[in-house]
Amino acid sequence: MQEPLDEQGWAPRTTFAGNTFVVTRADRNVYIKGTFTLDPTKDPKTMDVTDTFGPEAGQTLLAIYAVDEDRLLFCAAY
C-alpha cells in the first residue's frame, strides 16, 4: 500500500514517556508533542490526546486504541 502524497517521506516516529508523547519526522524535526490519558476500562479502550506543540496545539483529540503485541493502534477524531 502506498502512503498518501501528503505523508510521503516524513516517516514519523512516536516516542512515549510517562503521559507525554513526541512525534518526530525523518528529518529529526519535532512535528507534534503533547500529553495523553488512557482509559483501558472502556470497550473500546479510550485515549484523550492533547497537543502542546505543532499545528493542533491546544486541541484535545478523542481516540480509541488497542495494543496488539508490540504495536499500538489508534484512531482519533479531528
Side-chain angles (χ1 to χ4, degrees), residues 24-75:
T24 307
R25 296 188 287 199
D27 62 7
R28 297 195 176 130
N29 286 319
V30 172
Y31 181 67
I32 302 168
K33 62 183 172 179
T35 61
F36 65 92
T37 57
L38 303 177
D39 187 346
T41 66
K42 293 189 177 174
D43 187 17
K45 297 173 174 79
T46 63
M47 170 189 283
D48 294 346
V49 179
T50 302
D51 292 347
T52 59
F53 173 85
E56 308 295 329
Q59 294 186 21
T60 298
L61 305 174
L62 306 178
I64 57 174
Y65 76 96
V67 177
D68 181 19
E69 295 183 17
D70 64 348
R71 175 181 251 176
L72 170 66
L73 308 167
F74 75 98
C75 180

